[in-house]
Amino acid sequence: MELVYKKLSKHPHSVRRLLGIAMNQLHNRVEQLAPIWEKQLRLSYRRFGRPYKHDLGSMIILRLIYYRSYMTQAYLGYLFDLDKANVCRSFEN
């Protein structure tokens, strides 16, 4: 499965329509949050469990779609191939 961020980066003209921001703004946000994301991943991998299915860019896109459209977390889970609980958990941080 191709990651959502990687797939959208091939179509920058669609990013503004879907998310309301330009591709360079999304890329800047991903770069800005990457150190925090990596630190959180290192902390969470000390415990047992599955690794994250998506990268930081895809998780930011998930949130932006949620805030832009207010669709249900169950529907977002379907779009991103995640369980509803994982979508809900992504909003806790």
Side-chain angles (χ1 to χ4, degrees), residues 3-16:
L3 298 176
V4 177
Y5 179 70
K6 187 176 179 182
K7 188 182 288 188
L8 264 182
S9 66
K10 295 177 184 176
H11 306 282
H13 58 279
S14 298
V15 172
R16 184 171 292 280

Side-chain angles (χ1 to χ4, degrees), residues 13-66:
H13 58 279
S14 298
V15 172
R16 184 171 292 280
R17 288 186 215 139
L18 291 172
L19 307 176
I21 63 171
M23 185 65 199
N24 64 343
Q25 291 174 309
L26 177 62
H27 184 69
N28 290 342
R29 189 65 60 206
V30 169
E31 286 182 350
Q32 185 181 37
L33 295 173
I36 299 166
W37 175 262
E38 293 298 323
K39 181 181 176 184
Q40 185 65 31
L41 284 180
R42 280 194 300 274
L43 291 173
S44 67
Y45 281 141
R46 290 184 195 169
R47 300 183 307 254
F48 292 107
R50 294 186 205 167
Y52 282 100
K53 191 172 194 174
H54 291 283
D55 61 348
L56 173 61
S58 298
M59 297 309 286
I60 291 173
I61 290 169
L62 181 139
R63 279 191 181 204
L64 290 173
I65 289 174
Y66 177 75

Side-chain angles (χ1 to χ4, degrees), residues 54 62 65-66 69-91:
H54 291 283
L62 181 139
I65 289 174
Y66 177 75
S69 64
Y70 291 108
M71 62 179 60
T72 65
Q73 292 178 358
Y75 187 63
L76 276 173
Y78 176 76
L79 289 177
F80 284 80
D81 195 26
L82 293 170
D83 186 68
K84 182 182 140 194
N86 289 334
V87 174
C88 182
R89 215 172 293 128
S90 75
F91 288 101

